[in-house]
Amino acid sequence: GRGDFLPNFAIPLAGTPCEAVLTGHMSHHPERLQVLFPDDKGLVTWGAESYCGVPLLESSGAVVGHLAIIDDRPMRDGPRGLSIMRIFAARARAEIERLRAETALRVSEERLARILDSAMDAIVTFDGARQVALFNNAAEKIFGCPAAQAIGHPFDRFLTDGLRRALDRLLDTFAQGGQTTSYVWAPQGLSARSADGREFPIEATISRVEVNSRKLFTLIVRDINERQRTEEELRQLYLHNEYLQEEIRSVHNVDEIIGQSRTLKEALEQVRLVAGTDSSVLVLGETGTGKELIARAVRSHSKRANRPLIKVNCAALPTGLIESELFGHEKGAFTGATEKRLGRFELAHGGTIFLDEIGEVPPEVQVKLLRVLQEHELERVGGSKTITVDVRVIAATNRDLSKAVAEGKFRQDLYYRLNVFPVHLPPLRGRPEDILLLVHYFVARYAAKIGRQISRVPKETMQRLLAYAWPGNVRELENVIERAVILSPGPDLVVAAEALLVPSSTAPVSVTTQHGAPDSLAAPLTLEQAERNHIVSILKQTDWRIDGPQGAARLLNLHPSTLRSRIKKLDIRRSAAESS
Protein backbone atom coordinates (compact mmCIF):
# COMPACT_ATOMS: atom_id res chain seq x y z
CA GLY A 1 0.00 0.00 0.00
CA ARG A 2 1.67 3.17 -1.32
CA GLY A 3 5.16 1.70 -1.14
CA ASP A 4 4.81 -0.22 2.16
CA PHE A 5 3.52 -3.69 3.02
CA LEU A 6 0.28 -3.52 4.97
CA PRO A 7 -0.55 -5.96 7.79
CA ASN A 8 -2.87 -8.84 6.95
CA PHE A 9 -6.54 -8.25 7.62
CA ALA A 10 -9.93 -9.90 6.97
CA ILE A 11 -13.06 -8.38 5.39
CA PRO A 12 -16.44 -9.87 4.33
CA LEU A 13 -16.30 -11.08 0.72
CA ALA A 14 -19.86 -10.14 -0.22
CA GLY A 15 -20.28 -6.74 -1.86
CA THR A 16 -16.62 -6.37 -2.83
CA PRO A 17 -15.09 -6.24 -6.34
CA CYS A 18 -13.12 -9.42 -5.46
CA GLU A 19 -16.29 -11.52 -5.11
CA ALA A 20 -16.69 -12.08 -8.86
CA VAL A 21 -12.98 -12.84 -9.34
CA LEU A 22 -13.05 -15.62 -6.73
CA THR A 23 -15.81 -17.34 -8.68
CA GLY A 24 -13.41 -17.60 -11.64
CA HIS A 25 -14.09 -14.41 -13.66
CA MET A 26 -11.77 -11.56 -14.61
CA SER A 27 -12.95 -8.15 -13.47
CA HIS A 28 -12.15 -4.57 -14.53
CA HIS A 29 -13.72 -1.37 -13.12
CA PRO A 30 -11.90 1.67 -14.58
CA GLU A 31 -13.52 4.33 -12.30
CA ARG A 32 -16.21 5.19 -9.70
CA LEU A 33 -15.34 2.04 -7.73
CA GLN A 34 -16.77 3.30 -4.40
CA VAL A 35 -20.11 4.08 -6.07
CA LEU A 36 -20.30 0.63 -7.62
CA PHE A 37 -19.54 -1.14 -4.33
CA PRO A 38 -20.95 1.06 -1.55
CA ASP A 39 -20.84 -1.79 1.06
CA ASP A 40 -17.05 -2.15 0.78
CA LYS A 41 -15.89 0.31 3.47
CA GLY A 42 -12.25 -0.54 2.80
CA LEU A 43 -12.45 1.22 -0.59
CA VAL A 44 -13.30 4.46 1.20
CA THR A 45 -10.37 4.06 3.60
CA TRP A 46 -7.98 3.56 0.70
CA GLY A 47 -9.55 6.22 -1.51
CA ALA A 48 -9.89 3.59 -4.26
CA GLU A 49 -11.11 4.72 -7.69
CA SER A 50 -10.43 1.72 -9.99
CA TYR A 51 -9.91 -2.07 -9.84
CA CYS A 52 -8.46 -4.85 -12.03
CA GLY A 53 -8.40 -8.52 -10.90
CA VAL A 54 -7.83 -12.03 -12.26
CA PRO A 55 -8.29 -15.42 -10.52
CA LEU A 56 -5.40 -17.73 -9.61
CA LEU A 57 -6.24 -21.14 -11.08
CA GLU A 58 -4.73 -24.56 -10.44
CA SER A 59 -3.96 -26.81 -13.40
CA SER A 60 -7.29 -28.52 -12.71
CA GLY A 61 -9.14 -25.18 -13.08
CA ALA A 62 -9.96 -24.76 -9.37
CA VAL A 63 -9.73 -21.20 -7.99
CA VAL A 64 -7.12 -20.98 -5.22
CA GLY A 65 -6.93 -17.20 -4.87
CA HIS A 66 -6.81 -14.01 -6.89
CA LEU A 67 -4.42 -11.25 -7.97
CA ALA A 68 -5.78 -7.67 -7.98
CA ILE A 69 -4.60 -4.07 -8.42
CA ILE A 70 -6.51 -1.25 -6.72
CA ASP A 71 -5.67 2.38 -7.75
CA ASP A 72 -6.72 5.82 -6.45
CA ARG A 73 -6.83 7.02 -10.09
CA PRO A 74 -8.84 5.79 -13.04
CA MET A 75 -7.49 2.66 -14.78
CA ARG A 76 -8.75 3.02 -18.37
CA ASP A 77 -6.51 0.55 -20.26
CA GLY A 78 -8.47 -2.53 -19.15
CA PRO A 79 -7.58 -5.20 -21.77
CA ARG A 80 -3.85 -4.50 -21.54
CA GLY A 81 -3.92 -4.54 -17.73
CA LEU A 82 -5.85 -7.82 -17.71
CA SER A 83 -3.34 -9.48 -20.07
CA ILE A 84 -0.43 -8.48 -17.89
CA MET A 85 -2.32 -9.63 -14.80
CA ARG A 86 -3.04 -13.02 -16.37
CA ILE A 87 0.69 -13.49 -17.08
CA PHE A 88 1.57 -12.69 -13.49
CA ALA A 89 -1.23 -14.95 -12.22
CA ALA A 90 0.05 -17.87 -14.30
CA ARG A 91 3.58 -17.40 -12.97
CA ALA A 92 2.29 -17.12 -9.41
CA ARG A 93 0.28 -20.33 -9.84
CA ALA A 94 3.34 -22.15 -11.19
CA GLU A 95 5.46 -20.96 -8.26
CA ILE A 96 2.84 -22.04 -5.73
CA GLU A 97 2.66 -25.52 -7.30
CA ARG A 98 6.45 -25.76 -7.35
CA LEU A 99 6.65 -24.87 -3.67
CA ARG A 100 3.96 -27.41 -2.86
CA ALA A 101 5.78 -30.10 -4.82
CA GLU A 102 9.07 -29.28 -3.09
CA THR A 103 7.39 -29.41 0.30
CA ALA A 104 5.74 -32.74 -0.48
CA LEU A 105 9.04 -34.15 -1.74
CA ARG A 106 10.90 -32.95 1.34
CA VAL A 107 8.27 -34.45 3.66
CA SER A 108 8.41 -37.72 1.70
CA GLU A 109 12.21 -37.81 1.86
CA GLU A 110 12.18 -37.08 5.59
CA ARG A 111 9.60 -39.82 6.15
CA LEU A 112 11.65 -42.28 4.11
CA ALA A 113 14.81 -41.30 5.99
CA ARG A 114 13.08 -41.87 9.34
CA ILE A 115 11.85 -45.26 8.16
CA LEU A 116 15.31 -46.27 6.94
CA ASP A 117 17.02 -45.05 10.11
CA SER A 118 14.50 -46.83 12.36
CA ALA A 119 14.87 -50.16 10.53
CA MET A 120 16.50 -52.92 12.58
CA ASP A 121 18.19 -54.39 9.50
CA ALA A 122 21.11 -52.84 7.65
CA ILE A 123 19.98 -51.24 4.35
CA VAL A 124 22.67 -50.49 1.77
CA THR A 125 22.02 -49.18 -1.76
CA PHE A 126 24.75 -49.31 -4.42
CA ASP A 127 25.05 -49.05 -8.20
CA GLY A 128 26.31 -51.57 -10.73
CA ALA A 129 29.91 -50.73 -9.84
CA ARG A 130 29.01 -51.33 -6.15
CA GLN A 131 29.49 -47.65 -5.20
CA VAL A 132 27.44 -47.04 -2.02
CA ALA A 133 24.58 -44.52 -2.36
CA LEU A 134 22.69 -45.17 0.89
CA PHE A 135 23.87 -46.45 4.30
CA ASN A 136 21.31 -46.40 7.14
CA ASN A 137 21.85 -46.30 10.92
CA ALA A 138 21.59 -50.07 11.31
CA ALA A 139 24.25 -50.49 8.62
CA GLU A 140 26.54 -48.17 10.57
CA LYS A 141 26.05 -50.34 13.67
CA ILE A 142 26.38 -53.74 11.95
CA PHE A 143 29.39 -52.86 9.80
CA GLY A 144 31.00 -50.54 12.36
CA CYS A 145 31.41 -47.72 9.85
CA PRO A 146 29.91 -44.18 9.73
CA ALA A 147 27.72 -43.48 6.71
CA ALA A 148 29.96 -40.59 5.69
CA GLN A 149 32.87 -43.01 5.25
CA ALA A 150 30.77 -45.52 3.29
CA ILE A 151 28.67 -43.43 0.88
CA GLY A 152 30.49 -42.82 -2.40
CA HIS A 153 32.99 -45.61 -1.73
CA PRO A 154 33.00 -49.25 -2.94
CA PHE A 155 31.01 -51.69 -0.86
CA ASP A 156 33.58 -54.42 -1.52
CA ARG A 157 35.50 -53.91 1.73
CA PHE A 158 32.49 -55.29 3.61
CA LEU A 159 32.29 -58.43 1.46
CA THR A 160 33.77 -61.81 2.25
CA ASP A 161 34.73 -64.05 -0.66
CA GLY A 162 31.52 -66.04 -0.35
CA LEU A 163 29.31 -62.94 -0.21
CA ARG A 164 31.12 -61.38 -3.19
CA ARG A 165 30.55 -64.49 -5.33
CA ALA A 166 26.90 -64.63 -4.28
CA LEU A 167 26.38 -60.94 -5.16
CA ASP A 168 28.05 -61.42 -8.55
CA ARG A 169 25.71 -64.31 -9.36
CA LEU A 170 22.63 -62.38 -8.24
CA LEU A 171 23.57 -59.24 -10.18
CA ASP A 172 24.18 -61.39 -13.30
CA THR A 173 20.74 -62.90 -12.80
CA PHE A 174 19.18 -59.45 -12.76
CA ALA A 175 21.22 -58.33 -15.79
CA GLN A 176 20.13 -61.34 -17.84
CA GLY A 177 16.48 -60.81 -16.93
CA GLY A 178 16.21 -64.30 -15.48
CA GLN A 179 14.68 -63.11 -12.24
CA THR A 180 10.96 -62.36 -12.55
CA THR A 181 10.61 -60.68 -9.15
CA SER A 182 12.34 -57.48 -8.09
CA TYR A 183 14.14 -59.16 -5.18
CA VAL A 184 15.81 -62.49 -4.33
CA TRP A 185 16.92 -64.26 -1.17
CA ALA A 186 20.64 -64.52 -0.72
CA PRO A 187 21.72 -68.11 0.00
CA GLN A 188 22.22 -69.16 3.59
CA GLY A 189 25.63 -69.72 5.13
CA LEU A 190 26.97 -66.31 4.08
CA SER A 191 29.02 -63.95 6.21
CA ALA A 192 29.95 -60.28 5.92
CA ARG A 193 32.92 -58.30 7.20
CA SER A 194 32.84 -55.26 9.48
CA ALA A 195 35.14 -52.28 9.12
CA ASP A 196 37.55 -53.74 11.70
CA GLY A 197 37.83 -57.03 9.78
CA ARG A 198 35.53 -59.11 12.00
CA GLU A 199 33.35 -61.59 10.09
CA PHE A 200 29.79 -62.37 11.18
CA PRO A 201 27.00 -64.59 9.77
CA ILE A 202 24.17 -62.86 7.92
CA GLU A 203 20.79 -63.28 6.26
CA ALA A 204 20.19 -61.00 3.28
CA THR A 205 17.86 -60.05 0.44
CA ILE A 206 18.74 -57.97 -2.62
CA SER A 207 16.35 -55.98 -4.81
CA ARG A 208 16.73 -53.97 -8.03
CA VAL A 209 15.23 -50.58 -8.82
CA GLU A 210 15.73 -48.08 -11.65
CA VAL A 211 15.90 -44.37 -10.78
CA ASN A 212 16.28 -41.83 -13.61
CA SER A 213 17.55 -44.57 -15.93
CA ARG A 214 20.14 -45.51 -13.29
CA LYS A 215 20.12 -49.10 -12.07
CA LEU A 216 20.51 -49.40 -8.30
CA PHE A 217 20.54 -52.41 -5.98
CA THR A 218 19.40 -52.47 -2.35
CA LEU A 219 20.91 -55.04 0.00
CA ILE A 220 19.08 -55.70 3.29
CA VAL A 221 21.35 -57.47 5.80
CA ARG A 222 20.54 -58.99 9.19
CA ASP A 223 23.23 -60.01 11.68
CA ILE A 224 22.30 -63.54 12.78
CA ASN A 225 24.39 -63.27 15.96
CA GLU A 226 22.57 -60.08 16.94
CA ARG A 227 19.20 -61.70 16.25
CA GLN A 228 20.12 -64.68 18.43
CA ARG A 229 21.28 -62.36 21.21
CA THR A 230 18.00 -60.45 21.00
CA GLU A 231 15.98 -63.67 21.08
CA GLU A 232 17.92 -64.83 24.13
CA GLU A 233 17.30 -61.51 25.89
CA LEU A 234 13.59 -61.75 25.10
CA ARG A 235 13.50 -65.32 26.39
CA GLN A 236 15.20 -64.29 29.63
CA LEU A 237 12.80 -61.39 30.03
CA TYR A 238 9.92 -63.79 29.49
CA LEU A 239 11.28 -66.13 32.19
CA HIS A 240 11.80 -63.15 34.50
CA ASN A 241 8.24 -62.03 33.90
CA GLU A 242 7.00 -65.57 34.49
CA TYR A 243 8.76 -65.70 37.87
CA LEU A 244 7.39 -62.30 38.86
CA GLN A 245 3.86 -63.30 37.84
CA GLU A 246 4.16 -66.37 40.06
CA GLU A 247 5.21 -64.16 42.93
CA ILE A 248 2.38 -61.70 42.32
CA ARG A 249 -0.15 -64.54 42.32
CA SER A 250 1.23 -65.82 45.64
CA VAL A 251 1.16 -62.48 47.46
CA HIS A 252 -1.66 -61.93 49.95
CA ASN A 253 -2.12 -59.14 52.46
CA VAL A 254 1.23 -57.45 51.82
CA ASP A 255 0.06 -53.86 52.05
CA GLU A 256 -0.33 -53.56 55.83
CA ILE A 257 1.10 -54.97 59.03
CA ILE A 258 -1.76 -54.73 61.51
CA GLY A 259 -1.02 -54.25 65.19
CA GLN A 260 -0.24 -51.81 68.00
CA SER A 261 1.37 -54.08 70.58
CA ARG A 262 4.70 -53.19 72.12
CA THR A 263 6.41 -56.36 70.88
CA LEU A 264 5.28 -55.80 67.28
CA LYS A 265 6.36 -52.16 67.40
CA GLU A 266 9.80 -53.25 68.62
CA ALA A 267 10.09 -55.64 65.66
CA LEU A 268 9.05 -52.91 63.21
CA GLU A 269 11.61 -50.55 64.73
CA GLN A 270 14.26 -53.19 64.05
CA VAL A 271 13.04 -53.28 60.44
CA ARG A 272 13.37 -49.52 60.16
CA LEU A 273 16.95 -49.63 61.46
CA VAL A 274 18.18 -52.34 59.10
CA ALA A 275 16.18 -51.51 55.96
CA GLY A 276 18.55 -48.81 54.71
CA THR A 277 21.57 -51.13 54.78
CA ASP A 278 22.53 -54.09 52.59
CA SER A 279 23.05 -56.41 55.56
CA SER A 280 21.55 -59.89 55.57
CA VAL A 281 18.41 -60.17 57.70
CA LEU A 282 17.14 -63.30 59.45
CA VAL A 283 13.43 -63.14 60.36
CA LEU A 284 12.59 -65.53 63.20
CA GLY A 285 9.07 -66.47 64.18
CA GLU A 286 6.48 -69.17 64.34
CA THR A 287 4.47 -70.35 61.35
CA GLY A 288 1.89 -67.78 60.27
CA THR A 289 3.28 -64.78 62.15
CA GLY A 290 3.89 -62.78 58.94
CA LYS A 291 7.59 -63.27 58.27
CA GLU A 292 7.10 -62.57 54.56
CA LEU A 293 5.40 -59.27 55.39
CA ILE A 294 8.44 -58.27 57.43
CA ALA A 295 10.72 -59.21 54.51
CA ARG A 296 8.66 -57.08 52.14
CA ALA A 297 8.75 -54.20 54.62
CA VAL A 298 12.57 -54.40 54.75
CA ARG A 299 12.76 -54.36 50.96
CA SER A 300 10.21 -51.55 50.46
CA HIS A 301 12.17 -49.23 52.79
CA SER A 302 15.56 -50.09 51.28
CA LYS A 303 17.59 -48.64 48.40
CA ARG A 304 16.47 -51.65 46.34
CA ALA A 305 12.76 -50.87 46.63
CA ASN A 306 12.37 -50.38 42.87
CA ARG A 307 14.15 -53.65 42.10
CA PRO A 308 12.54 -57.11 42.15
CA LEU A 309 11.88 -59.13 45.30
CA ILE A 310 12.21 -62.82 44.45
CA LYS A 311 10.64 -65.23 46.92
CA VAL A 312 11.77 -68.84 47.41
CA ASN A 313 9.95 -71.23 49.75
CA CYS A 314 12.75 -73.68 50.46
CA ALA A 315 10.41 -76.15 52.18
CA ALA A 316 8.14 -76.38 49.16
CA LEU A 317 10.91 -77.30 46.70
CA PRO A 318 11.87 -80.96 46.20
CA THR A 319 15.36 -81.73 47.44
CA GLY A 320 16.56 -82.64 43.94
CA LEU A 321 15.39 -79.37 42.39
CA ILE A 322 16.16 -76.75 45.02
CA GLU A 323 19.70 -76.23 43.70
CA SER A 324 18.39 -75.72 40.16
CA GLU A 325 15.72 -73.29 41.36
CA LEU A 326 18.19 -71.20 43.34
CA PHE A 327 21.15 -71.18 40.96
CA GLY A 328 19.64 -72.13 37.57
CA HIS A 329 20.77 -74.87 35.19
CA GLU A 330 22.20 -75.30 31.72
CA LYS A 331 20.47 -77.16 28.92
CA GLY A 332 20.99 -80.92 29.35
CA ALA A 333 22.25 -80.58 32.95
CA PHE A 334 19.85 -83.34 34.01
CA THR A 335 16.90 -85.30 32.68
CA GLY A 336 14.14 -82.89 31.74
CA ALA A 337 16.45 -79.85 31.41
CA THR A 338 15.44 -79.13 27.82
CA GLU A 339 16.57 -75.52 27.92
CA LYS A 340 18.71 -73.15 29.96
CA ARG A 341 16.93 -71.68 32.97
CA LEU A 342 17.90 -68.72 35.12
CA GLY A 343 18.00 -69.29 38.86
CA ARG A 344 16.26 -67.15 41.44
CA PHE A 345 19.53 -65.46 42.45
CA GLU A 346 20.13 -64.33 38.85
CA LEU A 347 16.59 -63.01 38.62
CA ALA A 348 17.10 -61.09 41.86
CA HIS A 349 20.32 -59.42 40.59
CA GLY A 350 20.31 -55.84 41.80
CA GLY A 351 17.35 -56.57 44.07
CA THR A 352 16.40 -58.74 47.03
CA ILE A 353 15.84 -62.47 47.50
CA PHE A 354 13.64 -63.83 50.30
CA LEU A 355 14.57 -67.36 51.38
CA ASP A 356 11.60 -68.61 53.39
CA GLU A 357 12.00 -71.74 55.53
CA ILE A 358 15.80 -71.49 55.21
CA GLY A 359 16.17 -74.25 57.78
CA GLU A 360 14.88 -76.77 55.23
CA VAL A 361 17.80 -76.27 52.81
CA PRO A 362 19.74 -79.55 52.44
CA PRO A 363 23.44 -79.57 53.48
CA GLU A 364 24.78 -79.95 49.91
CA VAL A 365 23.00 -76.74 48.85
CA GLN A 366 24.10 -74.86 51.98
CA VAL A 367 27.68 -74.88 50.66
CA LYS A 368 26.70 -73.12 47.42
CA LEU A 369 24.49 -70.72 49.33
CA LEU A 370 27.40 -69.77 51.57
CA ARG A 371 29.53 -69.02 48.49
CA VAL A 372 26.88 -66.66 47.10
CA LEU A 373 26.70 -64.81 50.42
CA GLN A 374 30.49 -64.56 50.78
CA GLU A 375 31.73 -64.13 47.20
CA HIS A 376 28.56 -63.00 45.38
CA GLU A 377 29.30 -65.71 42.79
CA LEU A 378 27.50 -68.83 41.60
CA GLU A 379 27.55 -71.45 38.89
CA ARG A 380 24.48 -72.91 37.22
CA VAL A 381 23.86 -76.64 37.57
CA GLY A 382 25.73 -78.32 34.73
CA GLY A 383 27.72 -75.18 33.93
CA SER A 384 31.28 -74.05 34.56
CA LYS A 385 30.92 -70.30 34.01
CA THR A 386 31.12 -68.16 37.15
CA ILE A 387 28.28 -65.63 37.38
CA THR A 388 28.51 -62.57 39.62
CA VAL A 389 25.31 -61.41 41.34
CA ASP A 390 24.47 -58.44 43.53
CA VAL A 391 21.67 -59.60 45.80
CA ARG A 392 20.49 -58.72 49.29
CA VAL A 393 19.42 -61.81 51.22
CA ILE A 394 16.51 -61.90 53.67
CA ALA A 395 15.93 -65.32 55.21
CA ALA A 396 13.17 -66.58 57.47
CA THR A 397 12.57 -69.68 59.54
CA ASN A 398 10.36 -71.05 62.30
CA ARG A 399 13.08 -73.45 63.40
CA ASP A 400 15.71 -72.97 66.08
CA LEU A 401 18.75 -72.64 63.80
CA SER A 402 21.20 -72.48 66.70
CA LYS A 403 19.91 -75.86 67.86
CA ALA A 404 20.16 -77.19 64.28
CA VAL A 405 23.78 -75.97 64.18
CA ALA A 406 24.53 -77.78 67.44
CA GLU A 407 22.98 -80.96 66.05
CA GLY A 408 25.05 -80.68 62.84
CA LYS A 409 22.00 -80.18 60.61
CA PHE A 410 22.86 -76.61 59.60
CA ARG A 411 26.26 -75.13 58.74
CA GLN A 412 27.61 -72.86 61.43
CA ASP A 413 29.35 -70.51 59.00
CA LEU A 414 26.14 -70.14 56.94
CA TYR A 415 24.17 -69.44 60.12
CA TYR A 416 26.56 -66.63 61.04
CA ARG A 417 26.28 -65.16 57.52
CA LEU A 418 22.50 -65.15 57.66
CA ASN A 419 22.20 -64.05 61.29
CA VAL A 420 23.85 -60.64 60.77
CA PHE A 421 20.69 -58.85 61.89
CA PRO A 422 17.98 -61.05 63.42
CA VAL A 423 14.40 -59.77 63.68
CA HIS A 424 12.21 -61.69 66.13
CA LEU A 425 8.53 -61.66 65.23
CA PRO A 426 6.25 -62.27 68.23
CA PRO A 427 3.54 -64.97 68.08
CA LEU A 428 -0.08 -63.85 68.10
CA ARG A 429 -0.69 -65.23 71.61
CA GLY A 430 2.10 -62.91 72.80
CA ARG A 431 0.25 -59.81 71.58
CA PRO A 432 -3.45 -60.38 72.41
CA GLU A 433 -4.21 -56.68 72.10
CA ASP A 434 -3.64 -57.01 68.33
CA ILE A 435 -6.25 -59.75 67.90
CA LEU A 436 -9.09 -57.23 68.12
CA LEU A 437 -7.57 -55.11 65.33
CA LEU A 438 -6.85 -58.12 63.15
CA VAL A 439 -10.35 -59.54 63.55
CA HIS A 440 -12.00 -56.32 62.41
CA TYR A 441 -9.50 -55.94 59.56
CA PHE A 442 -10.10 -59.46 58.20
CA VAL A 443 -13.88 -59.19 58.65
CA ALA A 444 -13.98 -55.97 56.61
CA ARG A 445 -11.67 -57.43 53.98
CA TYR A 446 -13.48 -60.70 53.37
CA ALA A 447 -16.97 -59.25 53.75
CA ALA A 448 -16.19 -56.83 50.91
CA LYS A 449 -14.59 -59.59 48.87
CA ILE A 450 -17.43 -62.08 49.28
CA GLY A 451 -20.22 -59.51 49.24
CA ARG A 452 -21.55 -59.95 52.79
CA GLN A 453 -22.84 -57.19 55.06
CA ILE A 454 -21.22 -57.97 58.43
CA SER A 455 -21.26 -54.99 60.76
CA ARG A 456 -20.75 -56.47 64.26
CA VAL A 457 -18.58 -58.97 66.09
CA PRO A 458 -20.58 -60.15 69.16
CA LYS A 459 -18.84 -59.88 72.53
CA GLU A 460 -18.98 -63.62 73.22
CA THR A 461 -17.47 -64.31 69.78
CA MET A 462 -14.63 -61.88 70.42
CA GLN A 463 -14.02 -63.46 73.85
CA ARG A 464 -13.67 -66.87 72.21
CA LEU A 465 -11.23 -65.46 69.67
CA LEU A 466 -9.19 -63.82 72.43
CA ALA A 467 -9.19 -67.00 74.51
CA TYR A 468 -7.79 -69.19 71.74
CA ALA A 469 -4.03 -69.89 71.73
CA TRP A 470 -3.64 -69.48 67.93
CA PRO A 471 -0.88 -72.02 67.21
CA GLY A 472 -1.15 -71.04 63.54
CA ASN A 473 -0.92 -67.34 64.45
CA VAL A 474 -2.16 -64.65 62.04
CA ARG A 475 -2.51 -67.09 59.14
CA GLU A 476 -4.83 -69.29 61.20
CA LEU A 477 -6.81 -66.26 62.41
CA GLU A 478 -7.24 -65.09 58.81
CA ASN A 479 -8.51 -68.52 57.72
CA VAL A 480 -10.93 -68.72 60.66
CA ILE A 481 -12.35 -65.25 59.92
CA GLU A 482 -12.69 -65.98 56.19
CA ARG A 483 -14.60 -69.19 56.95
CA ALA A 484 -16.74 -67.35 59.53
CA VAL A 485 -17.63 -64.60 57.03
CA ILE A 486 -18.77 -67.26 54.55
CA LEU A 487 -20.91 -69.03 57.17
CA SER A 488 -22.42 -65.90 58.78
CA PRO A 489 -26.06 -65.51 57.61
CA GLY A 490 -26.68 -62.04 59.02
CA PRO A 491 -24.88 -58.89 60.16
CA ASP A 492 -23.24 -60.65 63.16
CA LEU A 493 -20.01 -62.62 62.72
CA VAL A 494 -20.57 -66.29 63.55
CA VAL A 495 -17.54 -68.44 64.37
CA ALA A 496 -18.34 -72.16 64.33
CA ALA A 497 -17.56 -74.10 67.51
CA GLU A 498 -15.26 -76.54 65.74
CA ALA A 499 -13.15 -73.67 64.38
CA LEU A 500 -11.63 -72.95 67.81
CA LEU A 501 -10.76 -76.14 69.67
CA VAL A 502 -9.36 -75.14 73.08
CA PRO A 503 -7.93 -78.23 74.90
CA SER A 504 -10.10 -79.10 77.93
CA SER A 505 -7.05 -79.59 80.17
CA THR A 506 -6.21 -75.88 80.08
CA ALA A 507 -7.59 -73.54 82.70
CA PRO A 508 -8.38 -69.93 81.78
CA VAL A 509 -6.34 -67.12 83.28
CA SER A 510 -6.95 -63.38 83.31
CA VAL A 511 -4.73 -61.08 81.24
CA THR A 512 -5.11 -57.30 81.09
CA THR A 513 -4.82 -55.74 77.61
CA GLN A 514 -3.41 -52.31 76.87
CA HIS A 515 -6.96 -50.96 77.09
CA GLY A 516 -7.21 -52.08 80.72
CA ALA A 517 -10.02 -54.61 80.13
CA PRO A 518 -9.44 -58.13 81.52
CA ASP A 519 -9.75 -60.85 78.90
CA SER A 520 -9.98 -64.56 79.45
CA LEU A 521 -7.02 -66.39 77.91
CA ALA A 522 -6.14 -70.03 77.88
CA ALA A 523 -3.31 -71.16 80.14
CA PRO A 524 -0.11 -71.15 78.12
CA LEU A 525 0.91 -74.31 76.35
CA THR A 526 4.34 -74.96 74.96
CA LEU A 527 4.61 -74.07 71.30
CA GLU A 528 5.11 -77.71 70.36
CA GLN A 529 2.01 -78.82 72.34
CA ALA A 530 -0.18 -76.10 70.85
CA GLU A 531 1.00 -76.82 67.31
CA ARG A 532 0.55 -80.57 67.76
CA ASN A 533 -2.97 -80.22 69.18
CA HIS A 534 -4.02 -77.91 66.39
CA ILE A 535 -2.67 -80.12 63.60
CA VAL A 536 -4.31 -83.20 65.14
CA SER A 537 -7.66 -81.39 65.36
CA ILE A 538 -7.50 -80.36 61.70
CA LEU A 539 -6.43 -83.89 60.64
CA LYS A 540 -9.42 -85.32 62.46
CA GLN A 541 -11.73 -82.84 60.70
CA THR A 542 -10.38 -83.92 57.30
CA ASP A 543 -10.36 -87.65 58.17
CA TRP A 544 -6.53 -87.51 58.10
CA ARG A 545 -6.47 -86.36 54.49
CA ILE A 546 -3.48 -84.08 53.78
CA ASP A 547 -3.67 -83.21 50.05
CA GLY A 548 -6.56 -81.91 47.95
CA PRO A 549 -9.12 -79.11 48.22
CA GLN A 550 -10.57 -80.57 51.44
CA GLY A 551 -7.22 -81.66 52.87
CA ALA A 552 -5.58 -80.48 56.08
CA ALA A 553 -2.81 -78.67 54.20
CA ARG A 554 -5.38 -76.40 52.51
CA LEU A 555 -7.10 -75.60 55.85
CA LEU A 556 -3.77 -74.88 57.54
CA ASN A 557 -2.56 -72.87 54.53
CA LEU A 558 0.58 -75.01 54.35
CA HIS A 559 2.29 -76.85 51.52
CA PRO A 560 1.53 -80.61 51.80
CA SER A 561 5.24 -81.47 52.05
CA THR A 562 5.65 -78.89 54.85
CA LEU A 563 2.71 -80.40 56.73
CA ARG A 564 4.11 -83.92 56.35
CA SER A 565 7.42 -82.65 57.74
CA ARG A 566 5.61 -81.14 60.76
CA ILE A 567 3.66 -84.36 61.35
CA LYS A 568 6.88 -86.37 61.32
CA LYS A 569 8.68 -83.89 63.57
CA LEU A 570 5.83 -83.81 66.13
CA ASP A 571 5.44 -87.62 65.97
CA ILE A 572 1.73 -87.41 65.12
CA ARG A 573 0.21 -90.82 64.37
CA ARG A 574 -3.29 -92.15 63.80
CA SER A 575 -4.70 -94.44 66.41
CA ALA A 576 -5.70 -97.99 65.47
CA ALA A 577 -9.39 -97.08 65.70
CA GLU A 578 -8.94 -94.07 63.40
CA SER A 579 -6.94 -96.14 60.92
CA SER A 580 -9.66 -98.77 60.76
Side-chain angles (χ1 to χ4, degrees), residues 318-323 326-327 360-371 409 411 414:
T319 303
L321 294 179
I322 185 170
E323 184 177 359
L326 288 176
F327 310 115
E360 307 297 330
V361 175
E364 59 272 18
V365 179
Q366 294 178 23
V367 179
K368 279 197 167 185
L369 191 56
L370 179 63
R371 181 189 178 192
K409 297 179 180 179
R411 292 182 63 95
L414 178 59

Side-chain angles (χ1 to χ4, degrees), residues 55 73 114 126 133 183 186 261 351 413 488 523:
R73 292 174 296 176
R114 287 195 299 269
F126 51 83
Y183 66 92
S261 62
D413 45 6
S488 298

Side-chain angles (χ1 to χ4, degrees), residues 261-268 284-286 288-290 294 423-431 434 473-474:
S261 62
R262 179 182 57 81
T263 53
L264 181 61
K265 288 182 178 179
E266 289 175 353
L268 295 179
L284 302 168
E286 298 177 8
T289 50
I294 293 296
V423 175
H424 295 269
L425 201 55
L428 189 56
R429 63 180 174 276
R431 50 188 184 105
D434 290 340
N473 292 290
V474 180

